[in-house]
Amino acid sequence: MKKAIQKMSLTVFLLSTTLTTTCMQPLSAMESNQTASSIKGPVDAKEVEAFADPLFADKMKQFNVNGSSFVVVRDGKVIVNKGYGFANKEKKIPVDKDTVFQIASVSKTFTALAAMQQVDAGNIDLHGNVEEYLGGLKIPNKTGKPVTMYDLLTYTSGIDLPDGIAITGAQYIDQDISMDEYLPKHMPTVIRPPGEAYTYDNSGFLLAGYAVENASGIPFAEYMDEKVFKPLGMTSSSVRFKPELMKRMAANYVGRKGELRPPEGRTPTDGPQGSILSTGEDMAKYMIMQLQNGKFDGKEIVSEKSMDLMHTYQIFADKDLPITTVGFEGYFPELANGQHVVLKGGNMPGHSSLMVLIPEQKTGFFMSYNNDSLLSSEIYKEFMDHYFPAIKEKAEPAYLPLSEKDAQKYFGLYQNTRVYFVRTSITYENGSLVLENEITGKQKLRMIHPLLFVDEEGNKIAFKEDKNGNIKYFYYATPKGALLVADSQKMEMKQTYSDVSNTSSYKTYINNLSALSIMGAKTGNKFDPTGTMTQGEFTDALIKAQGMYVFAGSEDGIRQQLAAGIPNLNPSAPITRQVAAVMIQNLKQLEPVATTKTKLQDTADAWAKDAITALVSQGIVDPDTKVSADGSFTFRAKDLLKRQEASALLDLAFGYYSLPIKRN
């Protein structure tokens, strides 16, 4: 099955997201003058190397990185440009300034630059309907508000598949699939009003690149060559896998063991969201242009007005929580040490990159390395602490009291708008909101003001209201949730089903799945809690519960994964409890809890016993399955699965919490 349609583990997903960090707002004039007089920044090559050499030696060993490039620019000059370790450890090929890397999502800044060039030329209206530049393609839209180029470039398009319309894999390296051919079959749908919510958005940048192609009349790869790379003298950069670049490209190593694997291409072949190959030498020129307000070697690459949009934060979670510029995005504002920083990172399997710009200091650095670890975030922190240390520590904020009555407007179930399987519960306990999900665990939140809270580790959570003053989203700036580069949306609880009583032990599960549009009414306003399901219906609900993207042509592969080890499956046949358990376990791959004794009492087929035991030991068990004090339980394995039982199993397996086993 294609990698892009599988649900990745949290670790893999974390590493495949863009590794980015945001800045603080520009300092006041007084603070700016203090900074300029007290901080030198990187000015001397020998000093920079004395700082960087031991740092890279230590951190590369810690993160099992074989090779990395590192380039620092300041005041229009390259201070340092060197490589560390091996581009290919098997062949003992060292990294140098000409080693080629896949820069992944750093490519988005180039796409934003190209789009702003077309805005400068009058070919694109930044705030007009972007469909005008899509060659006749229409974006399905449930909101009635058109998507603009500005929405795409600030990660606020409101589409339903932010990562879901491009597929990656080694098999696509040598193929040539145009955006014209690909996009009509893989268009996302606008499900939130554009501009309303932040969601890290690969698909939006793919559409932005396609708009550039149509507005300019030049194929995207050729456009980047002619309008960006050549004017900047970036002779070793390309949107495509050119043979001369592949010869110099660093090997790709993945996982903790550093396993060698082939590089991945994508569909469509030109990937405005992340397909550029480049070198430290070329990226130095790109950063110098960025830090010279769009000018390079006497040429204007893009207007100063457009560059200002790229370097000024446009989208905020709170006034002290900037999120995106035009093209750049990020989080962790405290790492900027009070400087105005814009940056962009990117990850492909086996390659990672990070570009950091400090425009007011005319300083930037770029690095690429050949695995998909978090090395770059460590280098960024050390770089800022060394060259631009914080001037003063922030005072602890004054926290406001919060009554349970006032807290009720925040209560509910929230779903991440990018990573659908990340769901968060917000409740109340002893004067604090309580936030809980599988990424950050359980956190008590203290209130700074009614739309801004802080967790126990000092990370901020900003809420957003709708026009009626109701809470609609929250943004969580936490290192643990680096994959949560998106707002989370409060899910509306559907109307109460007439056949589900308030005292039903299944009501919460039914309501949760209904709010997430996983399972709804069978007919009218009736859920049919004791009705049965077909194997096909359960499969559909299971895919939705897990938060998996499904593409045209991928359904068969997904169903094969779910059906592994189950004999004689028939989508139209009623599903038994044991078949449902195995399907869930095929996705969850849970290990039985070693400290929990469980003993299945009833008869189950041999192919189902391990799955049943694993789920029950993890607390994934419906209310009518009682586990005795000695661990024995009756699962009713061969009974038909009831709809209310399905709601409990799916909510417990893929919801925001794990409940302890219920024992008599």
Side-chain angles (χ1 to χ4, degrees), residues 56-69 84-86 89 95 101 253 255-256 258 350 352 367-376:
F56 272 84
D58 176 52
K59 296 300 182 181
M60 286 171 63
K61 182 178 180 181
Q62 178 183 341
F63 288 95
N64 194 28
V65 173
N66 292 310
S68 179
S69 66
Y84 296 98
F86 294 106
K89 69 176 181 179
V95 175
F101 287 89
Y253 298 95
R256 293 182 179 179
S352 301
M367 61 183 293
S368 287
Y369 51 101
N370 54 6
N371 78 0
D372 42 16
S373 72
L374 299 179
L375 168 68
S376 57

Side-chain angles (χ1 to χ4, degrees), residues 512-528:
N512 285 344
L513 266 62
S514 179
L516 295 165
S517 299
I518 295 168
M519 288 179 65
K522 186 70 173 179
T523 57
N525 69 337
K526 293 186 176 181
F527 184 79
D528 190 20

Side-chain angles (χ1 to χ4, degrees), residues 300-420:
E300 184 177 85
I301 307 302
V302 70
S303 72
E304 186 172 345
K305 179 181 179 181
S306 289
M307 189 57 69
D308 186 58
L309 287 172
M310 294 186 70
H311 290 174
T312 303
Y313 279 88
Q314 309 291 315
I315 305 301
F316 294 80
D318 183 80
K319 64 182 180 66
D320 293 325
L321 280 179
I323 305 177
T324 69
T325 73
V326 167
F328 293 89
E329 60 84 41
Y331 42 92
F332 307 157
E334 69 279 2
L335 296 185
N337 291 346
Q339 295 290 325
H340 177 69
V341 177
V342 295
L343 36 70
K344 193 77 188 73
N347 298 80
M348 288 287 292
H351 278 194
S352 301
S353 296
L354 177 65
M355 179 175 65
V356 175
L357 301 176
I358 314 170
E360 294 173 4
Q361 302 290 342
K362 301 298 183 184
T363 299
F365 83 80
F366 176 81
M367 61 183 293
S368 287
Y369 51 101
N370 54 6
N371 78 0
D372 42 16
S373 72
L374 299 179
L375 168 68
S376 57
S377 63
E378 294 281 320
I379 300 297
Y380 170 55
K381 180 182 184 303
E382 296 292 339
F383 183 92
M384 295 303 296
D385 286 348
H386 182 74
Y387 290 111
F388 303 103
I391 298 171
K392 58 184 179 181
E393 292 186 6
K394 284 191 171 183
E396 181 79 6
Y399 299 110
L400 301 178
L402 181 67
S403 68
E404 185 169 6
K405 178 181 178 182
D406 291 338
Q408 289 180 2
K409 69 177 184 178
Y410 307 96
F411 292 177
L413 178 65
Y414 296 73
Q415 183 176 49
N416 189 269
T417 57
R418 181 193 183 196
V419 191
Y420 292 158

Side-chain angles (χ1 to χ4, degrees), residues 184-197:
K185 303 173 184 176
H186 299 84
M187 289 296 287
T189 299
V190 180
I191 59 173
R192 287 177 296 276
E196 181 174 278

Side-chain angles (χ1 to χ4, degrees), residues 631-642:
S632 61
F633 67 96
T634 300
F635 192 72
R636 311 180 306 286
K638 296 189 178 183
D639 286 1
L640 295 182
L641 180 72
K642 298 176 182 177

Side-chain angles (χ1 to χ4, degrees), residues 174-344:
D174 298 320
Q175 296 191 30
D176 188 353
I177 302 171
S178 69
M179 288 190 274
D180 276 333
E181 173 188 353
Y182 191 81
L183 282 174
K185 303 173 184 176
H186 299 84
M187 289 296 287
T189 299
V190 180
I191 59 173
R192 287 177 296 276
E196 181 174 278
Y198 159 63
T199 306
Y200 186 82
D201 191 351
N202 283 297
S203 300
F205 275 80
L206 174 52
L207 292 172
Y210 188 55
V212 169
E213 179 171 287
N214 281 283
S216 67
I218 306 172
F220 185 75
E222 293 180 24
Y223 182 96
M224 298 304 294
D225 284 343
E226 295 299 321
K227 303 295 185 181
V228 180
F229 300 144
K230 285 184 180 179
L232 290 174
M234 297 177 68
T235 57
S236 294
S237 299
S238 176
V239 171
R240 295 197 164 201
F241 288 93
K242 294 180 178 179
E244 62 268 26
L245 299 183
M246 294 291 285
K247 292 176 183 178
R248 289 188 274 133
M249 194 164 89
N252 297 61
Y253 298 95
V254 299
R256 293 182 179 179
K257 296 182 179 179
E259 186 177 327
L260 181 65
R261 65 178 291 170
E264 290 195 353
R266 65 184 68 241
T267 60
T269 302
D270 296 342
Q273 75 279 24
S275 68
I276 290 177
L277 281 67
S278 194
T279 65
E281 179 83 354
D282 279 5
M283 290 301 296
K285 299 171 184 177
Y286 181 64
M287 287 193 292
I288 288 171
M289 179 274 296
Q290 288 270 344
L291 294 167
Q292 293 182 156
N293 298 318
K295 295 180 176 63
F296 183 81
D297 197 22
K299 302 184 292 287
E300 184 177 85
I301 307 302
V302 70
S303 72
E304 186 172 345
K305 179 181 179 181
S306 289
M307 189 57 69
D308 186 58
L309 287 172
M310 294 186 70
H311 290 174
T312 303
Y313 279 88
Q314 309 291 315
I315 305 301
F316 294 80
D318 183 80
K319 64 182 180 66
D320 293 325
L321 280 179
I323 305 177
T324 69
T325 73
V326 167
F328 293 89
E329 60 84 41
Y331 42 92
F332 307 157
E334 69 279 2
L335 296 185
N337 291 346
Q339 295 290 325
H340 177 69
V341 177
V342 295
L343 36 70
K344 193 77 188 73

